[in-house]
Every structure is written in structure tokens, then in C-alpha cells.
């Protein structure tokens, strides 16, 4: 199959693709991109030579000319130039365009912040902002006290994972953080000049801008000479450090500021800590043999080290600020007692009770740091001593200082640092973030089976049917004796499972009960899967009391329903679980931070890989409705409701549940949020959302805003039954189309492994976890993350749209074209779930490119297979595009998202060469050219494309 003529793809509109004048509001973005591009070009010219610079510039001009002006001659010349490159030249070109993608991301992030500031100054309120939420709630008659009451029982928790599509090294991330700060500094310099009435600038601002540019040049020089790729696969310890970088840069400083904004909007009404962070890095052992009890302990140790050092810095700074003298302002009794208890005996501070008290706090924190992480504090006015037993004791001392300042009329001194510190301790404690345990149900089963066999309770647990398993496990839970025999020769699997539950028990004692709260069961398929985790808790000392009487468990047992079949069975499994003797009583008996509420995790990734985008979302929707109804019924029958919290396992791509969080939360079925939501943040999305502190705060604000609106706004009208019937029909036919391609088409697996860089991605050192669960090439065994990542790299983005077109075509055949379109348009206008899903599919199609997909298809050696499968994909793409046009009324993609359309138009010309070179180098590599530079070029192109697309993981 010859590569088709590359017509401009029907994605963003022509206006957004660069034709015509640049809107004045976007001129600063264009200026920043040009500045960064010029500096990068200067550095390439200086360090790589004029010939390399000229080659890169020629490729850039040809790519831009084709993308923006549909010039076929430019396309032919571009492909000729790229195919003729040597391996060394290809690597240089790939590095240049990859770094440009990174720099363009920084410029776009800065422009996003800039435009938000413009809107705020003009009094414009944007959806997703808290100001927009306050207005909506006020119009609905919701009082500030009602909001505070809701937040008192709420939990909003983004959970960061270590899934292997975040390809940036820490060195790159840190240098880019410096560049982002320098771009913000340029805006501040210009703003000062404008405030002084100098629209064209002045000598001071010119000098400042020149100095700023020199620093930008230095950082970009550093980037150009910094290795983008890792030489070795990262360890779990590396992943822990990478994830914690976002806490240090964004979460720890920004979360207290967000709380302060909320309280200010509520006229000072105190707000309970409800926004808390979660972590999987170090505790997620599903399919990762490198995660064990040691990594769990290491993760918590490093988390404690990070947050305690933050507290030490803040306490030290408070000591510098609170220089109040008792000679001028007598100290309240509680403060004086705290100062007297301090080991500080310096004569210089004899009349400064705040400073003496803070020296004591610092000494106790330093001792706590030694005890919990083994670290040493940076400063020692007195030796570390008397470590705090828990974060509550430290918080109590801070409240003494706060109360004293208020009593003395110095409340203003609490605002800059003390109140944010108090809020940080309330939210982060000594543990920083709640670390989840996750393991596959089959591993739990193996451990429990061996425990039962060694104890002579059941020789072959795996052979029992489900009913027999339940009876046996309930008997084990009711028996106060442990199964574990001290000297029995247990297998490595059993030892690892017991060790990690014991480590969880120890961590809760050491860092506080909030350090570990959840035991997540991947691939939950039966009630016995949940009971097995309770048995393991019992063996580790996490289950207390007598079953059926006063038993309570420390860890919440969290089923994860992943496939389409599992999602359909979820309500039945949970109903049967709570119907077992002792289960409901166990949850009712749980204390704070114990198993006293029910989390249920819903898997977006595997359900999509199993049934396609529409069926995945529809099955999730149905499961949420049924689970909420189940727990409402259980509460009504018992008179003792159990709080249900849904945990959304969303990835970066739309095919894995990604997309805008605000619309996603508002699109949840009515009555399913109720102030409770956890959701994973994965892949490049972590960097794009949280690397920049301002953007990170905005994303946290969006989660809070959407949760409040979904919880407190009056319920929407019930979804009409005809909408539900239509969704069911679309699901049935779209799933059939998807599975017909992916699971029923002979040769599809061969096509996928040849026409995408999946094999090369598996070799890239971007995660500690293998790309497949088993050493096979079956699609069923491939992890959903590299599955989606690979389709993003070849720009077909298949998991994010395939099947919708066939579903709509079948509905047209059933109802008639006009009637089907009328119904679908009404669903799009009135049903947030349907509108949000189509918006996400619209975004995915805008990022796809059939011509580039065809280029990758040329890597398939079997021409007949290539034509057959790519032809099916191409036909479904056009059906889906036509369906979106019929429903939304827009022929162009992203018609309602001009900002993203402009972003895509700006960046795609710079990604095109990366795709061409990736295909060319893959062809050379697979043909036997195993030189390191070829492999490096492929991996660099993967990095650059991921950076350019931003949500490919």
C-alpha cells in the first residue's frame, strides 16, 4: 500500500491553523515561542554548526508550509529530505524538534496563566474556577455554611501513580521549571514598565529583559547538552523521587493557599481538611515484582523526610519573623509555658518567648526527622530532642502560638506563614500523602491458598467453588487463631504478601493512620477476592476483635472492577459481600481512618481495551448508578448508611479515561459524587497539570469546584429513558465493531506490533514495570498503558474513538437517519455524560492523522494484512468523523475549543518530522541496523511526540 497523498487533515479549523492575522490576545504566546525557538536555534548553530542548523531550519520551514498551506510540493520535499538523513543527522534533528516541543509546552503553560489573569482582572468568571462555582451555588441558594458543612465530610483526592509513560528525566524537568519561572519573570518586568507608563519599555526594563534572556539562554544551553533519555530503567526508588518532586514544587506550597482562598470566599468560615493527596508509587505491586515491603517503607520514609523538612524550614522562618519581646508585649500563659519547656537557654532570646518556643519546636521536629527518616536537620540552635509522637502534637504547639498572637492583637502575623503551616500539618501530617496498596486478586489467592494448606485447613483452596470459598474464609475470619505457622516454608509469593501487610501495619503506627488506608484488589471478579484481603489483614495484625461481634479492620478493602464484564457484575458482587454475616458490622465498627467507609475503584483503561471507548464509558456510568442505588438501599434497610466513595482509575489519554476533569466530574451520574471522589493522575498528565505551581493550583481548584457543584447543585432532571435505550444500543454495536477489529480480525496482533512502536516502547527506560503482564504478544495480556501510548505515537489514537461511528450508523439504520440524528443531538444538548464523552472523542480525533497512521502502516511487512486492517481503521475513522459532524453540527474538530485548536495548530508542524524520522529509524532498526544511535533516535522521537501531544499515556 503506497502512502496516500497527505491532504491537510480535517482537524482544527483553517483559522486556527495559522492562516490570517494572529489575534492580539495570542501575540504574547507567539512572542514567547519565537524567543525560545530563536535561542534554541542560536545554541544549535553555535554548538552543532551552521550546516546542522540550516538542515533543521529547512525541515521546519517545509513542515510548517505543508501543515499551514496544504502545499503538496513541500510535503514531497520534506519526505525526501528526511529519508536522506544519516543516522547522526536524524538524531540531531529529532533532538531539536523534541526540545522545541518541550519549550512550546512551557510557552503555552505561561500563556494559559496569563490569559487567566486577564480574565480575572476583567471580572470574567470561567467555568472550573471556584468563583464560577460560588456564583452557581449562590444562585441555587446554597449558603456558605452549607458549603463548609459539606466539606467537613468531603474527600477530594488526586492520586499520583508511577505508570510508565512519564518519560521526562528529573534533570530535564528541573531545567524546564527554571525556564517557566523566567518566562513568568518577563511578564512581571513588562507589567512593571506598563504600570510606570512606559509602554515601549525603559532602560531599566530593557536591562532586566536582557538579563532575563541571558538566563534563558543559559538554561536552554543546559537543556541542549543534557541527556533526554535514561541509560537504565528507573528503579522504584527513582519513581518515588520523581513523583515527590511534584509535592515539593506544587502540592505542599499550593494546597494551603487554595484552602485560604476557599475560607476567604466563605467569609472566614473555617473549612475542614478535605483535599488530600494520594500515592501509588512504592505500594502498587500489581504486575510489578520490584514493589515490596521494602519499597513501601522507603516511599513513606522519603515522604516523611520531604514534609518534615518543609516544616523545619517554615518553623525556622517563623523564628526570624516572630521577634516579639515580652518586655513590650507580655506573653500569654500557654505561650510562656511552651517557651519555658524549650531547651533554648540563649540569653539573646530571654525576652522573646515566640523565638524560644519555636527553637523548642524545631528541636522536636529535628528529632522527629531523625526518628522517621534518619535525616539530619539543616540547623541546630539546640540538639534534636523529644520527637513528636504524632502530627497532632506538633499541630497543638502551633495552635498555642496562633492563639497567643491573636490574644495579643497580632493576628496579622499569623497570615503570611503560620496559618499556611497549620493547614499544611492538617493536610499532610507526617506522612505527606496516603499511600495505597494494590495487588492482583490472583496473588492474594495464591497466598491465602498456601496459608490454608500449610495450616491443614484446606489442601486445595483453588479447587473450591465460590460458595465453598466464602464459607471457608468466613470461618477463618471467625477463628481468632492465625493461619500462619512460624516455621512453615512459605513460597516467595506468600512471604511477600504477608510482609507488605505487616509493613502497612507498622507504617500506620509510625507515620499515622492516614499514611496507608486502602488495599486495592485488581481484577476483582468475586466476593472471595474481598474476603481474602480481610484474611491477610487478620494475619498481619490489621484485623481486631471478634468477627460478628466487635471486629474492625484498619485498611479499607477496595475492589477494582476493570473489564466490561467485571463492571456489570460490580453491584451484584458488592450486594453479596455486604449480605455476608459480619461484613456490614465490621464496617459499622470501624473508627476514623479505618475500614468505616467503602471505596470502590472503577477501571477506565482495561474496560476500554476490553470493549472500546463508548462501551467502557457506558458500562462505568451504569455501574456507578447501580452502586449508588445499592448503598442507598443498604443504608435504608439497616438505618446505618455506609459512605460510598468512587475511585476513578483514569489515565492520560481519553481512551484511558482522560480528558478535562471538570466536565468529567460534572458528567458523573446524579447522586454518585456526594462530596467524595478519588481519581488517579497518570503519565504526561502529571507533568502537564502539576509541574507548574500556578497551573497545578488551578487544576486542584477545578477538582474542588466540580465536586462541590456535583454535590450541592439541585439534581438534574432524570435522564429520559429513550436516552438510556439509545446509549445501550450505541454501546452494543460500537463494542461489536471494536471487538471485531481488535480481537476477532486475524492478524490484528501482528499489525499492531509492526505498525506501532510498541516493541521500542517496551525497551525504553521509562518505568519500573513491564509493558505486558505476561511474556506474550496477546492483546489481552498487554497493559492498557502501552496499548494507548503506542496508538498515540502512530497518531491513530484508536482507543479514544473506534466504534462510535459504527454505533451511530447502526442507530441510523434502526431509527432512520433523521430521527437518529435528532435524538443524538438532543442527547448531546441535554445529557452531560453524552456531551462530555463526545467532546473527548472530538479532541482525540483532532489529534489523530490518518496520513501519518498510513506511514506507520508501511512498517507492516504483509501488504494484504496492512491494507485490510488499515482500511478498516480508516473507514471507521471517517464514520466517526461524520457522526460527530452530524451530532454537533461542526465539520471541523475542536470548533468549541479554540484554545486547544490553536495549540494543536502551533505544535503539529513541529511533531510531523518526528513521526517521519521515527518510522524511518524503526525501519532501519528492524532491518538489522542495531547501532546505538539508531535506537537512541527512536527513543528520542518517542519522547518528543509524547511531549508534543501531552496526554498520550
Amino acid at each position: 500500500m503506497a502512502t496516500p497523498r497527505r491532504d491537510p487533515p480535517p482537524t482544527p479549523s483553517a483559522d486556527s491553523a495559522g492562516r490570517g492575522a494572529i489575534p492580539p490576545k495570542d501575540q504574547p504566546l507567539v512572542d514567547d515561542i519565537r524567543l525560545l525557538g530563536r535561542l534554541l536555534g542560536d545554541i544549535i548553530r553555535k554548538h552543532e554548526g551552521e550546516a546542522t542548523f540550516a538542515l533543521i531550519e529547512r525541515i521546519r520551514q517545509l513542515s510548517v508550509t505543508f501543515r499551514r498551506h496544504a502545499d503538496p510540493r513541500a510535503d514531497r520535499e520534506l519526505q525526501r529530505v528526511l529519508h536522506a538523513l544519516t543516522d547522526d543527522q536524524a538524531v540531531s534533528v529529532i533532538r531539536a524538534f523534541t526540545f522545541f516541543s518541550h519549550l512550546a509546552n512551557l510557552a503555552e503553560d505561561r500563556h494559559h496563566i496569563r490569559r487567566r489573569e486577564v480574565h480575572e482582572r476583567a471580572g470574567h468568571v470561567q467555568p472550573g474556577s471556584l468563583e464560577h462555582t460560588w456564583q452557581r451555588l449562590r444562585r441555587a441558594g446554597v449558603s456558605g455554611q452549607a458549603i463548609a458543612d459539606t466539606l467537613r465530610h468531603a474527600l477530594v483526592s488526586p492520586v499520583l501513580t508511577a505508570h510508565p509513560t512519564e518519560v521526562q528525566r528529573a534533570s530535564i524537568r528541573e531545567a524546564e521549571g527554571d525556564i517557566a519561572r523566567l518566562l513568568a519573570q518577563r511578564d512581571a518586568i513588562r507589567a512593571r514598565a506598563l504600570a510606570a507608563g512606559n509602554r515601549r519599555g525603559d532602560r531599566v526594563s530593557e536591562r532586566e529583559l536582557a538579563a532575563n534572556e541571558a538566563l534563558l539562554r543559559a538554561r536552554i544551553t543546559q537543556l541542549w547538552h543534557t541527556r533526554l533519555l535514561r541509560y537504565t530503567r528507573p528503579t522504584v526508588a527513582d519513581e518515588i523521587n520523581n513523583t515527590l518532586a511534584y509535592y515539593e514544587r506544587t502540592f505542599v506550597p499550593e494546597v494551603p493557599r487554595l484552602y485560604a482562598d476557599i475560607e476567604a470566599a466563605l467569609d472566614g468560615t473555617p473549612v475542614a481538611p478535605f483535599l488530600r493527596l494520594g500515592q501509588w508509587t512504592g505500594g502498587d505491586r500489581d504486575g510489578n515484582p520490584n514493589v515490596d515491603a521494602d519499597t513501601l517503607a522507603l516511599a513513606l520514609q522519603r515522604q516523611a523526610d520531604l514534609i518534615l523538612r518543609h516544616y523545619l524550614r517554615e518553623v525556622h522562618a517563623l523564628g526570624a519573623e516572630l521577634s516579639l519581646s515580652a518586655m513590650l508585649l507580655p506573653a500569654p500563659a500557654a505561650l510562656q509555658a511552651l517557651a519555658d519547656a524549650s531547651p533554648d537557654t540563649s540569653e539573646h532570646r530571654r525576652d522573646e518567648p515566640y523565638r524560644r518556643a519555636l527553637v523548642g519546636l524545631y528541636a522536636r521536629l529535628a528529632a522527629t526527622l531523625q526518628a522517621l527518616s534518619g535525616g539530619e536537620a539543616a540547623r541546630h540552635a539546640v540538639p534534636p530532642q523529644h520527637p513528636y509522637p504524632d502530627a497532632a502534637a506538633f499541630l497543638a504547639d502551633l495552635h498555642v502560638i496562633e492563639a497567643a498572637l491573636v490574644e495579643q492583637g497580632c493576628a496579622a502575623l499569623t497570615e503570611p506563614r503560620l496559618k499556611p503551616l497549620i493547614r499544611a500539618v492538617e493536610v499532610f501530617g507526617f506522612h505527606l500523602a496516603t499511600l495505597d496498596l494494590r495487588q492482583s486478586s490472583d496473588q492474594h489467592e495464591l497466598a491465602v491458598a498456601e496459608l490454608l494448606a500449610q495450616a491443614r485447613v484446606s489442601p486445595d483452596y483453588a479447587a473450591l467453588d465460590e460458595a465453598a470459598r466464602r464459607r471457608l474464609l468466613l470461618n477463618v475470619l471467625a477463628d481468632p487463631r492465625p493461619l500462619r505457622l512460624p516455621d512453615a516454608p512459605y513460597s516467595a509469593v506468600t512471604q511477600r504478601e504477608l510482609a507488605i501487610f505487616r509493613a502497612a501495619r507498622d507504617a500506620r503506627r509510625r507515620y499515622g493512620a492516614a499514611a496507608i488506608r486502602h488495599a486495592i484488589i485488581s481484577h476483582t471478579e468475586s466476593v472471595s477476592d474481598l474476603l481474602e484481603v480481610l484474611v491477610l489483614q487478620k494475619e498481619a495484625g490489621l484485623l481486631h476483635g471478634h468477627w460478628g461481634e466487635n471486629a474492625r479492620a484498619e485498611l479499607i478493602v477496595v475492589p477494582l472492577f476493570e473489564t466490561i464484564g467485571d463492571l456489570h457484575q460490580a453491584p451484584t458482587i458488592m450486594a453479596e459481600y455486604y449480605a455476608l454475616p459480619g461484613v456490614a458490622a465490621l464496617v459499622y465498627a470501624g473508627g476514623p481512618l479505618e475500614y468505616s467507609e467503602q471505596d470502590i475503584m472503577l477501571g477506565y483503561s482495561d474496560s476500554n481495551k476490553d470493549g472500546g471507548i463508548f462501551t467502557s464509558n457506558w458500562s462505568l456510568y451504569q455501574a456507578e448508578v447501580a452502586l449508588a442505588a445499592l448503598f442507598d438501599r443498604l443504608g435504608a434497610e439497616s438505618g446505618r448508611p455506609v459512605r460510598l466513595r468512587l475511585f476513578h482509575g483514569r489515565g492520560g489519554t481519553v481512551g484511558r479515561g482522560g480528558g478535562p476533569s471538570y466536565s468529567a466530574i460534572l458528567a458523573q451520574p446524579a447522586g454518585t459524587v456526594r462530596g467524595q471522589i478519588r481519581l488517579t493522575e497518570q503519565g504526561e498528565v502529571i507533568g502537564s497539570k502539576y509541574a507548574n505551581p500556578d497551573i497545578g493550583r488551578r487544576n486542584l481548584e477545578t477538582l474542588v469546584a466540580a465536586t462541590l457543584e456535583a454535590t450541592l447543585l439541585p439534581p438534574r432532571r432524570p435522564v429520559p429513558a429513550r436516552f438510556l435505550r439509545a446509549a445501550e444500543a450505541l454501546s452494543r454495536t460500537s463494542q461489536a465493531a471494536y471487538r471485531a477489529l481488535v480481537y476477532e480480525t486475524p492478524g490484528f496482533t501482528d499489525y499492531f506490533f509492526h505498525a506501532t512502536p510498541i516493541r521500542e516502547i517496551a525497551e525504553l527506560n521509562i518505568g519500573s514495570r513491564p509493558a505486558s503482564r505476561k511474556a506474550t504478544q496477546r492483546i489481552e495480556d498487554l497493559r492498557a498503558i502501552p496499548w494507548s501510548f503506542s496508538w498515540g505515537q502512530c497518531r491513530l489514537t484508536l482507543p479514544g474513538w473506534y466504534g462510535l461511528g459504527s454505533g451511530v450508523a447502526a442507530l441510523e439504520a434502526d431509527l432512520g437517519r433523521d430521527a437518529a440524528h435528532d435524538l443524538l443531538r438532543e442527547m448531546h444538548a441535554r445529557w452531560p455524560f453524552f456531551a462530555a464523552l463526545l467532546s473527548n472523542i472530538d479532541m482525540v480525533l483532532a489529534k489523530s492523522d490518518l496520513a501519518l497512521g498510513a506511514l506507520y502502516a508501511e512498517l507492516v511487512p504483509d501488504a494484504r494484512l496492512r491494507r485490510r486492517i488499515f482500511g478498516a481503521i480508516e473507514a471507521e475513522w471517517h464514520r466517526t468523523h461524520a457522526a460527530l459532524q452530524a451530532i454537533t453540527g461542526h465539520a471541523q474538530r475542536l470548533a468549541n475549543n479554540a484554545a486547544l485548536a490553536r495549540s494543536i495548530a502551533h505544535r503539529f508542524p513541529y511533531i510531523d518530522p518526528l513521526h517521519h524520522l521515527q518510522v524511518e529509524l524503526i525501519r532501519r532498526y528492524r532491518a538489522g541496523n542495531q547501532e546505538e544511535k539508531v535506537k537512541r533516535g527512536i527513543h528520542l522521537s518517542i519522547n518528543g511526540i509524547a511531549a508534543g501531544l501531552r496526554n498520550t499515556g
Side-chain angles (χ1 to χ4, degrees):
M1 181 184 70
T3 302
R5 184 172 67 88
R6 295 226 300 149
D7 294 324
T11 47
S13 66
D15 287 340
S16 70
R19 298 177 182 176
I22 297 167
K25 66 179 183 178
D26 291 326
Q27 189 61 50
L29 169 62
V30 174
D31 291 343
D32 281 349
I33 289 177
R34 286 174 177 167
L35 170 65
L36 297 174
R38 174 173 61 80
L39 292 174
L40 178 62
D42 290 347
I43 290 159
I44 292 171
R45 181 189 283 114
K46 178 178 180 179
H47 293 274
E48 307 301 324
E50 188 65 39
T52 298
F53 171 79
L55 174 64
I56 292 167
E57 182 62 14
R58 174 66 173 153
I59 292 168
R60 184 191 71 80
Q61 291 173 349
L62 288 169
S63 186
V64 170
T65 298
F66 168 68
R67 271 284 174 181
R68 295 185 178 170
H69 304 290
D71 186 341
R73 292 174 299 177
D75 184 40
R76 289 193 297 272
E77 177 64 10
L78 174 66
Q79 295 192 51
R80 185 193 68 77
V81 170
L82 292 174
H83 293 165
L85 296 179
T86 66
D87 294 344
D88 287 330
Q89 288 175 319
V91 170
S92 292
V93 172
I94 288 170
R95 291 188 76 239
F97 282 95
T98 293
F99 275 121
F100 185 83
S101 290
H102 285 248
L103 295 173
N105 286 346
L106 298 176
E108 286 191 0
D109 287 346
R110 180 62 216 156
H111 194 58
H112 176 81
I113 296 167
R114 184 186 293 131
R115 292 305 306 162
R116 187 185 179 201
E117 290 172 349
V118 168
H119 284 293
E120 288 177 346
R121 289 195 184 99
H124 301 158
V125 177
Q126 296 179 299
S129 68
L130 280 171
E131 184 57 38
H132 177 260
T133 297
W134 306 142
Q135 289 187 7
R136 293 194 71 189
L137 294 177
R138 280 195 293 268
R139 285 196 298 267
V142 180
S143 68
Q145 189 59 54
I147 296 170
D149 290 343
T150 296
L151 294 178
R152 188 173 299 113
H153 305 289
L155 178 68
V156 178
S157 181
V159 180
L160 274 62
T161 77
H163 284 298
T165 61
E166 172 54 71
V167 296
Q168 278 201 37
R169 293 179 62 218
S171 300
I172 299 295
R173 189 172 57 244
E174 289 164 6
E176 291 183 359
D178 289 341
I179 293 170
R181 285 187 285 273
L182 289 167
L183 290 176
Q185 188 183 90
R186 292 184 74 81
D187 281 355
I189 293 169
R190 293 192 183 98
R192 287 196 298 271
L194 285 174
N198 301 315
R199 290 192 168 273
R200 294 181 177 273
D202 52 49
R203 290 189 177 182
V204 172
S205 62
E206 288 172 3
R207 284 198 304 270
E208 290 176 338
L209 287 171
N212 175 278
E213 183 173 321
L215 291 172
L216 282 170
R217 186 183 298 273
R219 293 285 73 77
I220 297 173
T221 301
Q222 174 192 346
L223 275 180
W224 183 251
H225 291 290
T226 297
R227 176 169 41 85
L228 266 167
L229 302 176
R230 301 182 179 98
Y231 279 138
T232 58
R233 186 172 294 277
T235 64
V236 177
D238 294 329
E239 292 177 332
I240 291 167
N241 290 337
N242 287 342
T243 306
L244 290 182
Y246 295 102
Y247 286 83
E248 191 162 25
R249 179 183 302 115
T250 297
F251 296 125
V252 172
E254 294 300 329
V255 165
R257 292 173 187 148
L258 179 57
Y259 274 103
D261 288 348
I262 294 170
E263 289 187 336
L266 299 180
D267 299 323
T269 302
V271 170
F274 68 94
L275 174 63
R276 299 180 184 273
L277 280 298
Q279 280 275 92
W280 274 13
T281 318
D284 177 14
R285 56 205 194 283
D286 177 18
N288 191 342
N290 303 306
V291 176
D292 55 20
D294 290 337
T295 64
L296 185 77
L298 178 65
L300 288 166
Q301 175 188 326
R302 293 192 178 175
Q303 289 178 203
D305 189 86
L306 186 154
I307 195 59
L308 285 168
R309 290 186 186 280
H310 172 74
Y311 297 157
L312 285 162
R313 288 191 296 270
E314 293 302 292
V315 167
H316 177 75
L318 274 173
E321 294 172 5
L322 298 184
S323 55
L324 286 67
S325 171
M327 297 170 61
L328 303 173
L329 205 59
L335 173 65
Q336 190 62 53
L338 192 60
D340 291 343
S342 169
D344 182 18
T345 59
S346 171
E347 286 294 315
H348 299 295
R349 291 185 288 271
R350 185 172 57 182
D351 68 323
E352 296 174 339
Y354 288 99
R355 282 181 165 173
R356 289 176 57 215
L358 288 163
V359 167
L361 268 65
Y362 191 96
R364 297 194 71 184
L365 276 176
T368 308
L369 178 69
Q370 286 181 342
L372 295 186
S373 75
E376 287 290 331
R379 303 171 182 86
H380 292 300
V382 297
Q385 53 199 285
H386 304 306
Y388 282 109
D390 51 41
F394 175 44
L395 187 62
D397 283 351
L398 293 176
H399 280 308
V400 168
I401 295 172
E402 179 189 35
L405 288 168
V406 172
E407 183 178 336
Q408 291 177 321
C410 298
L413 287 171
T414 67
E415 298 294 338
R417 194 177 304 276
L418 181 57
K419 280 191 174 180
L421 176 57
I422 288 172
R423 180 60 79 178
V425 179
E426 290 175 343
V427 173
F428 300 116
F430 287 166
H431 65 287
L432 182 66
T434 297
L435 182 59
D436 291 353
L437 306 184
R438 185 171 78 126
Q439 179 60 290
S440 178
S441 59
D442 63 334
Q443 298 300 297
H444 293 150
E445 179 185 326
L446 288 172
V448 169
E450 186 173 16
L451 287 168
L452 291 167
Q454 290 280 9
R456 303 294 190 265
V457 174
S458 175
D460 193 359
Y461 172 75
L464 300 178
D465 63 23
E466 175 63 14
R469 288 188 180 197
R470 294 182 194 180
R471 288 192 299 272
L472 174 59
L473 295 174
L474 286 172
N475 288 334
V476 169
L477 290 168
D479 189 337
R481 295 168 298 181
L483 290 172
R484 186 173 180 273
L485 303 175
D487 300 321
Y490 292 109
S491 68
V493 169
T494 301
Q495 291 185 44
R496 284 165 60 92
E497 290 308 303
L498 290 173
I500 203 154
F501 278 95
R502 286 196 299 267
R505 177 200 61 201
D506 295 343
R508 285 172 61 87
R509 311 294 185 271
R510 183 178 179 84
Y511 301 100
I516 299 179
R517 295 198 61 204
H518 309 91
I520 301 169
I521 310 163
S522 298
H523 313 113
T524 300
E525 297 173 344
S526 64
V527 171
S528 60
D529 291 337
L530 284 76
L531 295 175
E532 287 162 4
V533 171
L534 287 173
V535 169
L536 291 170
Q537 288 201 56
K538 174 174 175 280
E539 294 300 308
L542 289 162
L543 186 68
H544 309 280
H546 294 87
W547 189 263
E549 298 176 23
N550 59 352
R552 44 178 247 283
E554 294 192 36
L555 301 184
I556 302 172
V557 177
V558 185
L560 168 51
F561 299 107
E562 297 178 86
T563 67
I564 301 299
D566 294 343
L567 288 168
H568 290 167
Q569 287 298 311
T572 300
I573 289 173
M574 295 310 298
E576 293 179 359
Y577 175 61
Y578 270 84
L580 292 175
V583 170
L586 175 83
V587 179
Y588 295 143
L593 301 179
E594 293 184 337
Y595 190 4
S596 58
E597 50 197 359
Q598 184 63 63
D599 288 63
I600 296 176
M601 188 169 181
L602 304 174
Y604 288 65
S605 305
D606 283 284
S607 61
N608 178 282
K609 188 162 74 76
D610 184 27
I613 181 69
F614 195 95
T615 297
S616 169
N617 279 266
W618 177 234
S619 298
L620 288 159
Y621 184 95
Q622 291 178 302
E624 290 181 47
V625 170
L627 287 167
L630 167 65
F631 279 83
D632 284 346
R633 178 175 60 79
L634 292 175
E637 291 173 354
S638 67
R640 300 184 64 183
V642 173
R643 178 180 292 136
L644 170 65
R645 180 165 46 244
L646 296 176
F647 183 6
H648 300 268
R650 306 171 74 232
T653 58
V654 166
R656 297 187 52 243
S661 297
Y662 178 73
S663 59
I665 294 173
L666 292 185
Q668 298 302 306
T672 60
V673 176
R674 304 182 189 183
Q676 305 288 319
I677 193 165
R678 297 185 92 216
L679 68 166
T680 53
E681 301 282 24
Q682 303 179 6
E684 276 71 41
V685 167
I686 296 176
S688 64
K689 282 187 174 182
Y690 300 115
N692 184 297
D694 289 325
I695 290 177
R697 184 175 168 191
R698 162 68 169 170
N699 279 292
L700 293 173
E701 180 181 332
T702 294
L703 294 179
V704 175
T707 302
L708 284 171
E709 290 181 34
T711 301
L712 289 172
L713 287 177
R716 300 183 295 265
R717 288 179 294 179
V719 179
R722 54 202 174 88
F723 288 8
L724 301 175
R725 288 194 299 271
E728 181 63 32
L730 287 170
S731 171
R732 187 168 53 252
T733 50
S734 66
Q735 180 182 17
Y738 173 84
R739 290 194 64 85
L741 175 74
V742 174
Y743 295 104
E744 299 165 15
T745 298
F748 178 83
T749 300
D750 289 339
Y751 176 92
F752 171 69
F753 275 88
H754 281 98
T756 74
I758 178 61
R759 287 184 285 179
E760 290 71 24
I761 287 170
E763 296 174 8
L764 184 57
N765 296 314
I766 55 178
S768 67
R769 194 165 70 163
S772 290
R773 291 187 171 93
K774 302 176 183 177
T776 72
Q777 286 198 349
R778 296 173 69 246
I779 299 299
E780 292 88 342
D781 295 328
L782 187 69
R783 294 191 180 281
I785 299 158
W787 164 259
S788 293
F789 195 62
S790 300
W791 287 113
Q793 286 282 310
C794 75
R795 291 292 290 283
L796 288 178
T797 61
L798 181 143
W801 57 266
Y802 197 95
L804 176 67
S806 290
V808 171
L811 197 66
E812 291 170 348
D814 184 36
L815 302 180
R817 182 180 177 86
D818 291 343
H821 289 177
D822 288 343
L823 174 59
L824 292 169
R825 288 170 188 147
E826 187 181 0
M827 291 166 64
H828 182 251
R830 293 180 50 194
W831 193 8
F833 160 77
F834 192 66
L837 176 55
L838 292 196
S839 176
N840 285 336
I841 294 174
D842 179 66
M843 179 184 71
V844 172
L845 278 190
K847 291 188 174 185
S848 67
D849 188 312
L850 285 176
L852 287 173
L855 187 70
Y856 282 85
E858 290 292 318
L859 294 168
V860 180
D862 185 331
R864 292 180 61 188
L865 177 67
R866 177 200 318 151
R867 286 193 296 268
R868 179 161 50 87
I869 293 182
F870 184 80
I873 294 171
E874 185 176 31
E876 183 64 19
W877 189 97
H878 285 293
R879 280 191 291 269
T880 302
H881 187 274
L884 284 176
Q885 180 175 347
I887 297 168
T888 67
H890 299 298
Q892 300 293 342
R893 304 280 57 84
L894 297 176
N896 292 323
N897 193 340
L900 182 56
R902 283 194 301 273
S903 171
I904 285 175
H906 278 299
R907 67 181 55 242
F908 276 14
Y910 301 95
I911 305 175
D912 282 356
L914 294 173
H915 286 290
H916 283 273
L917 287 172
Q918 185 180 93
V919 170
E920 179 62 28
L921 292 180
I922 287 174
R923 183 180 288 112
R924 296 177 191 179
Y925 184 71
R926 292 178 182 176
N929 185 345
Q930 301 288 316
E931 289 201 28
E932 181 61 31
K933 67 185 71 174
V934 174
K935 186 176 179 180
R936 186 167 73 251
I938 295 169
H939 291 176
L940 284 167
S941 69
I942 291 170
N943 182 297
I945 293 167
L949 295 176
R950 301 206 83 171
N951 64 342
T952 62

